[in-house]
Amino acid sequence: MKKLVIAGPTPLRGEVSISGAKNAAVAILPATLLINGVCRIENLPNISDVSLYCDILQALGAKITWHNKNEITIDTRNINCNADIIEITRKFRASYYLIGSLLGRCGSVRVGLPGGCKLGARPIDLHIKGFESLGATTTISQGNIHATAKKLVGTSIYLDIASVGATINIMLASVLAEGTTIIDNAAKEPHIVDVANFLNTMGADIRGAGTDMIKIHGVKELKGDATYSIVPDQIEAGTFMLAAVASRGDIIIKNCISKHLESITAKLIEIGANVEEYGDSLRVWCNQRPSKAVIKTLPYPGFPTDLQPQMGVVLATADGTSIINEGIWESRFQYTAELNKMGANIMDQGKSAVFDGVESLVGAPVYSTDLRAGAALIIAGISAHGITEVYNLEHIDRGYENIEEKFNSIGANIKRVLED
Ligand code: EPU
């Protein structure tokens, strides 16, 4: 079993560069299936979710050439619509984007239903409602979802919840549909804009991404023959911002978009930390104990749920009693039991948690329950006194490129160890 062994506390100091966005990459890779041609993708994060997606594309007949660990060319001229991808698609959740893209490309798709996740029920009813409004028929049996459509025809779709996944999946299904599709109450996260920009670069006609109404005018074909560079990862940048504050450090975060980080910047300034913007870089520093805060996670541009556990580490040692209300997922406080093993004083009930700030954390063996919980535990280990061992690294490797190398380059002391 692999683990990270972290010796702390080490205030983080120096410069770190942000990779391409995971949640854009896992939508852009399946989006390449809509292209009848070749495209080049740059700034692709080197994470296990991306390599899994590349395996799926290759199983479907795509030809992939790696230029280096972050740049690939994908040739999707010859796709085998009948390839059996059920088992491989069960391995991770973002495989649901294959439904939208293969419906658009092949008119038929069969994938394993997204695997169980620790964040809550995670239904995909809104995705299905969207596909059916466009003219598809869907059936679920034996843990698989089968969707078919003789023809997809544009229509107006109102999303009851501004779901990231449903917005992107409906966008994918409607790019090659006949006529115009309107997604109302669309999600506005930066990676939605990035997927739309990618598709437009390849020949699609999508307008309004980043607002709550997206219009997709169906086109006959996506020709590709273009290069696209993935947007910097908002959540990775936010993770380093929060790590700087939790460790009482001073870092420069390069290759990030400060506009995407405004909700985090505002909270950090409110609790007494410092943030300065310089073009595509941010300096974040904090040399005293931050003050308490009340946080509610919300869809973009609100405070992101994917930074809630990392913010929880900051509040665990803040001065006073803080409250976090989780507005997106039912079970996103499992990391609090792990932080309590490190001396934190957190009580959670359902979608709220109360953080009674302690002076400092103490190292302990802890288990990551999901990707962002894992990032939070690393930050806790960097900030805590003594040795922290973080287990279940497969969650962390799904979504953070070279995480320990990046933290070590700014002063952390983290070793990846294979335990007998
Ligand atoms: N929902 C439904 N029905 C649906 C779809 C969503 O009820 O058909 C509900 C969900 O249960 C949830 C809310 O709507 O309560 C929002 O879910 P959303 O669809 O926006 O989430 P997602 O697309 O499944 C993406 C990210 C998550 C991130 C959320 C929220 C990807 C691959 N995943 O998930 O990222 O937490 O948006 O921003 O883009 C992560 O990166 O660690 C991660 C979990």
Side-chain angles (χ1 to χ4, degrees):
M1 198 195 305
K2 283 185 191 150
K3 63 181 177 183
L4 294 179
V5 179
I6 309 174
T10 51
L12 298 176
R13 288 186 201 287
E15 292 185 358
V16 67
S17 188
I18 298 306
S19 299
K22 166 200 151 252
N23 287 344
V26 297
I28 285 174
L29 289 172
T32 62
L33 292 166
L34 293 163
I35 302 168
N36 189 10
V38 180
C39 69
R40 185 175 171 121
I41 302 174
E42 299 177 349
N43 207 29
L44 192 63
N46 183 20
I47 52 176
S48 67
D49 267 9
V50 162
S51 36
L52 199 51
Y53 237 125
C54 288
D55 292 346
I56 296 177
L57 294 182
Q58 284 171 323
L60 285 161
K63 292 197 177 62
I64 300 185
T65 311
W66 288 87
H67 304 291
N68 59 49
K69 68 183 177 44
N70 303 109
E71 281 182 34
I72 59 176
T73 296
I74 309 183
D75 178 348
T76 40
R77 279 175 295 189
N78 294 306
I79 290 301
N80 173 8
C81 290
N82 298 315
D84 182 357
I85 50 169
I86 290 198
E87 281 314 314
I88 189 164
T89 51
R90 264 192 230 295
K91 291 190 182 165
F92 71 146
R93 192 163 172 84
S95 59
Y96 56 34
Y97 290 135
L98 290 162
I99 311 175
S101 54
L102 286 176
L103 259 183
R105 175 75 185 252
C106 301
S108 170
V109 49
R110 197 186 294 270
V111 294
L113 273 174
C117 183
K118 302 271 170 24
L119 306 178
R122 303 194 77 172
I124 57 164
D125 54 310
L126 298 172
H127 305 228
I128 292 173
K129 182 177 138 186
F131 300 140
E132 294 191 339
S133 307
L134 292 165
T137 305
T138 58
T139 46
I140 294 178
S141 90
Q142 298 181 319
N144 304 327
I145 178 158
H146 184 204
T148 52
K150 283 208 174 66
K151 186 161 95 167
L152 293 166
V153 181
T155 184
S156 287
I157 298 164
Y158 178 86
L159 295 179
D160 302 330
I161 302 171
S163 152
V164 170
T167 302
I168 292 178
N169 231 342
I170 295 168
M171 217 157 69
L172 293 172
S174 49
V175 160
L176 299 176
E178 187 180 295
T180 299
T181 301
I182 296 176
I183 309 175
D184 207 351
N185 196 29
K188 299 185 279 223
E189 271 66 5
H191 39 287
I192 289 172
V193 179
D194 208 45
V195 178
N197 287 343
F198 168 79
L199 288 165
N200 285 342
T201 304
M202 300 301 150
D205 184 355
I206 303 173
R207 298 171 198 196
T211 74
D212 55 15
M213 186 184 284
I214 303 180
K215 279 190 191 165
I216 305 115
H217 300 287
V219 295
K220 290 237 167 340
E221 194 184 34
L222 298 191
K223 286 198 170 21
D225 197 21
T227 298
Y228 191 79
S229 182
I230 293 182
V231 71
D233 196 312
Q234 173 209 21
I235 303 301
E236 189 197 6
T239 299
F240 280 102
M241 292 173 80
L242 295 165
V245 177
S247 72
R248 315 289 184 257
D250 184 346
I251 66 172
I252 306 261
I253 300 165
K254 293 164 71 179
N255 187 36
C256 64
I257 299 179
S258 51
K259 172 84 189 148
H260 294 166
L261 296 158
E262 279 175 346
S263 61
I264 299 101
T265 299
K267 262 307 155 191
L268 290 185
I269 290 171
E270 182 188 313
I271 63 175
N274 307 282
V275 183
E276 265 175 18
E277 296 175 14
Y278 311 95
D280 65 354
S281 301
L282 278 179
R283 178 181 169 208
V284 183
W285 74 103
C286 180
N287 33 34
Q288 85 272 0
R289 203 173 164 197
S291 55
K292 64 185 177 173
V294 175
I295 310 268
K296 179 162 175 69
T297 66
L298 289 166
Y300 187 80
F303 194 96
T305 175
D306 292 344
L307 289 172
Q308 189 260 95
Q310 301 89 315
M311 187 71 196
V313 178
V314 170
L315 298 181
T317 60
D319 187 9
T321 301
S322 303
I323 296 175
I324 299 185
N325 289 305
E326 169 58 41
I328 311 292
W329 300 116
E330 293 95 359
S331 331
R332 201 152 213 181
F333 284 116
Q334 294 169 79
Y335 70 94
T336 59
E338 303 304 302
L339 288 187
N340 284 346
K341 289 182 196 165
M342 299 176 72
N345 189 356
I346 310 167
M347 271 187 306
D348 72 275
Q349 194 165 49
K351 291 173 83 173
S352 298
V354 178
F355 293 70
D356 214 349
V358 295
E359 285 277 347
S360 58
L361 299 176
V362 183
V366 286
Y367 293 81
S368 66
T369 48
D370 64 77
L371 170 61
R372 308 305 173 185
L377 295 176
I378 294 176
I379 298 173
I382 291 168
S383 316
H385 292 263
I387 300 294
T388 298
E389 293 168 320
V390 181
Y391 289 90
N392 294 350
L393 304 188
E394 65 283 4
H395 294 301
I396 301 169
D397 294 338
R398 275 186 41 228
Y400 285 95
E401 176 169 339
N402 295 338
I403 190 159
E404 67 262 33
E405 285 90 340
K406 286 193 185 187
F407 273 122
N408 285 343
S409 76
I410 50 176
N413 183 347
I414 308 178
K415 288 193 180 65
R416 188 173 286 241
V417 174
L418 190 59
E419 197 179 60
D420 293 336

